[in-house]
Every structure is written in structure tokens, then in C-alpha cells.
Amino acid sequence: LRFDGERIEAVHGRSPDDVWMVGAAGLILHWDGRELTELRHRATERRIVGLAWEGAQGWIAASADGLLLRGSLSAGLISVEPAPIKAPDTLVRLPSGELVLQALCDEIVVQRTDGSWRPLPRPDGLDCIKRVGGQSTSELWAAGSNDGVDGKVWRLQGGRWVPVPTKTEEELRFVVARPDGSVWIGGDRVLLTAPRGRPLTAAATHEFDRYKGATVAGDALWIAGDNTEIGSAGLLLRERAGAWTRHDRLTANWLAGVAVTPAGQVWAVGLGGVAARSAEVGFAPTDTGTGATLGHLLAHPSGALLAVGDDGVILQRDPGPAPGSTADHGLPTSD
């Protein structure tokens, strides 16, 4: 076991052979007189930066300390291996099926069909890519900064990154593509869109909004974020056929990950482990069983949910009773 500075925060025991220790990142240790054991062991205690489905029920996740974690809905965590880049910041499955792994302001690699990885071009000069997305690696978009100035967007064309004008210097936090070929890029105070074959323009601006994550579900785009007005916090937006629906004050903290189940239920997670889900009327706050910030959420065709976030947390919620029933208690079934 590795003990970093200020790792253990409290120690207490009922006897010399029954001692318990707790600390940072959910650390729980037990000494039984012969062995010091870590309960609820995590493969990493760093942030899980991305999550994607693999095959019928498998999943893959990447951690900030350079690990790829693989598992399945039935077996949980199965394997841990070094990632092809040292410090990933993004892992995303494109609609084409390609898996893209990216290090902040550094390498970008894509997985081949045989499981190997190949590098993608890097932007010239001081360009810093922070998020990538699109239909495929032949229609890839990126958001980031240049020389410390945010609000920069590029498009991968002919093997090189081409700058795309944005008219904003706000930080951009996600890039998603819709089946119609349009690309949506969101961040602080601004939401940008580029319909296929048309320039990138501002689809929405709001003085107090911070758009942090998005998902495409059928013909709808769902966006999770934060409204920084006092008492507002958790925010969800839905765009469908040009019409917008806004849901404010869903949780005490901001939301960053959003997913829609095959049955149409909308879930969102965020800062401090907060969560909300759609109910018969509006949204209901939900207990996730963790205080760690959750940044990514996926819905499986079976109705199962996976959420990942800080401190190496991976949560799974299996399909269960109908929402609102007394047997339905929230998100986690494993950690």
C-alpha cells in the first residue's frame, strides 16, 4: 500500500488486532493483527477522464494517471493496463465507433480496428487542444486555447488542423456531433454550432450559464451545466428541432454528465456526487452514494448506467424498478 502525505485522516481501534483507518479519496484500511487490508479497493485514485462502451456489455475508461480500465456490467472491473499516452484528459467514442484518447495540449491517438493505436496530427505552434469530438476522425473537431486565450476551435482537414473563427474567448468544455452532421461546442456562457457545410455560429449565449457536458439522444441534444446565479446551480437544457427547454435548480451543485436511457429517462450527475433524474413531473434529486465529483455518465441499451469521476470512482446502476417506486433508491450498485 502507498501512503502519501496527509493521506490517513483518522485512526481508531477496538483492540490491537482490530484497528481501522480512514482518509483521502475514500480510503478505508483495516488491521487484523496480521495484515493491513484496503477495503473497497480502487485501481486508481485519480480522476476518470472518459468512459465508453465496448461490445455488448463491456466498458473502457481512462484515468488521469495514464491507465486504461476495462470491465463489464456483469463482472465489474476486469483489467487495468497502461494507456498509450502518459496523462490522458479525454476518452471519447465517436459515432463512427472510433475511440479517441487525448492528452491535454499534447498527444491525440485513435484506436485501430485491431486494437492498436495510431497518432493523429498535432496542431501547429502553441495551439492547445482540450476537447475533441465529431462524427469520425475524418470529420473531427477540437476546442481549446492558443497562447493562453480560450475559445479556439479547429477542424481536422487533409491531415492538418485548420482554425475555425468563433468570436469568443470563453473556455469551451465539450464537442459533440449529431446524426444530421451538425457539431455542437459548449463552454462558459456560449454554445456554438456548425450545421453540416455551414460556418460555426453562436446558438445560445447566457451571462450566468456554464455548459459542461452534452449527449445526443435521438433527435434531441441534452446539455448539462451550471447557472452561477445564487441558488441556481444544476442546469439541464434540451434542444429539439430548434426549440429549447430549460430546467434550472435541479441540484445544489453543478451538473457535468448527462445520459438518456432507452426508456427515455434523463439522468445527470455532477459536483460532489449530486444527481438528478427525470420524473413524472420535472426532475428529482437522487443520492449516488458518493461525495466525489462525477463528470461522465453513460446509458446502456439494457437501461444500466455507468458514472465515473474524481478519486477513481466508478458507479454502476443496473436496470431496476420503475422510477419513483419505493424499491428504487438511486444510482450506485457498485463502487
Side-chain angles (χ1 to χ4, degrees):
L1 296 174
R2 175 176 55 86
F3 300 109
D4 294 336
E6 300 182 2
R7 182 78 194 285
I8 297 175
E9 298 178 0
V11 179
H12 192 61
R14 291 175 287 195
S15 73
D17 295 337
D18 186 8
V19 180
W20 295 81
M21 310 173 193
V22 298
L27 178 71
I28 304 175
L29 301 175
H30 181 238
W31 169 254
D32 62 6
R34 302 182 309 277
E35 185 178 14
L36 187 62
T37 304
E38 183 176 6
L39 282 68
R40 301 180 72 190
H41 175 72
R42 298 177 186 179
T44 178
E45 292 180 355
R46 296 289 303 279
R47 179 172 59 95
I48 305 293
V49 301
L51 179 68
W53 296 118
E54 280 198 327
Q57 66 160 356
W59 52 263
I60 182 172
S63 65
D65 54 350
L67 297 177
L68 289 180
L69 299 84
R70 285 186 167 89
S72 74
L73 295 178
S74 59
L77 182 66
I78 295 174
S79 66
V80 181
E81 62 190 68
I85 56 180
K86 184 177 294 184
D89 193 67
T90 300
L91 175 74
V92 61
R93 178 84 66 190
L94 303 180
S96 63
E98 296 168 292
L99 191 66
V100 178
L101 189 65
Q102 174 239 340
L104 183 67
C105 304
D106 205 338
E107 298 175 272
I108 306 174
V109 295
V110 60
Q111 192 176 55
R112 293 185 173 97
T113 54
D114 64 1
S116 62
W117 297 84
R118 65 177 176 87
L120 291 180
R122 294 173 59 182
D124 298 329
L126 299 175
D127 297 344
C128 175
I129 288 178
K130 299 181 180 181
R131 292 291 182 267
V132 293
Q135 289 288 342
S136 68
T137 52
S138 62
E139 299 180 60
L140 200 63
W141 293 70
S145 63
N146 187 27
D147 200 19
V149 179
D150 283 313
K152 305 302 179 183
V153 171
W154 301 269
R155 189 175 183 182
L156 188 61
Q157 294 180 315
R160 61 185 295 267
W161 291 101
V162 178
V164 178
T166 65
K167 298 182 181 180
T168 183
E169 294 185 357
E170 300 289 352
E171 184 171 1
L172 302 173
R173 302 179 183 273
F174 69 80
V175 182
V176 295
R178 299 176 80 160
D180 63 5
S182 63
V183 174
W184 294 74
I185 302 172
D188 292 352
R189 303 182 183 89
V190 63
L191 181 65
L192 308 172
T193 185
R196 173 166 284 182
R198 297 175 61 184
L200 188 69
T201 58
T205 59
H206 194 291
E207 180 182 1
F208 299 107
D209 284 356
R210 305 290 187 273
Y211 308 119
K212 295 179 177 291
T215 191
V216 175
D219 62 350
L221 173 72
W222 285 91
I223 299 170
D226 181 26
N227 186 310
T228 59
E229 288 186 283
I230 296 175
S232 295
L235 166 69
L236 280 178
L237 298 177
R238 187 192 72 181
E239 191 277 343
R240 176 181 286 162
W244 290 88
T245 305
R246 183 182 181 94
H247 304 276
D248 280 305
R249 299 175 175 85
L250 301 185
T251 52
N253 296 324
W254 48 253
L255 297 168
V258 56
V260 182
T261 69
Q265 189 178 35
V266 182
W267 286 76
V269 295
L271 176 64
V274 298
R277 60 182 173 182
S278 55
E280 290 185 7
V281 178
F283 284 80
T286 303
D287 180 18
T288 62
T290 181
T293 293
L294 301 172
H296 301 277
L297 183 65
L298 284 181
H300 190 262
S302 67
L305 292 165
L306 279 182
V308 298
D310 291 356
D311 303 332
V313 168
I314 301 175
L315 301 180
Q316 177 178 326
R317 182 186 188 276
D318 294 328
S325 71
T326 56
D328 187 15
H329 296 298
L331 185 67
T333 59
S334 64
D335 184 357

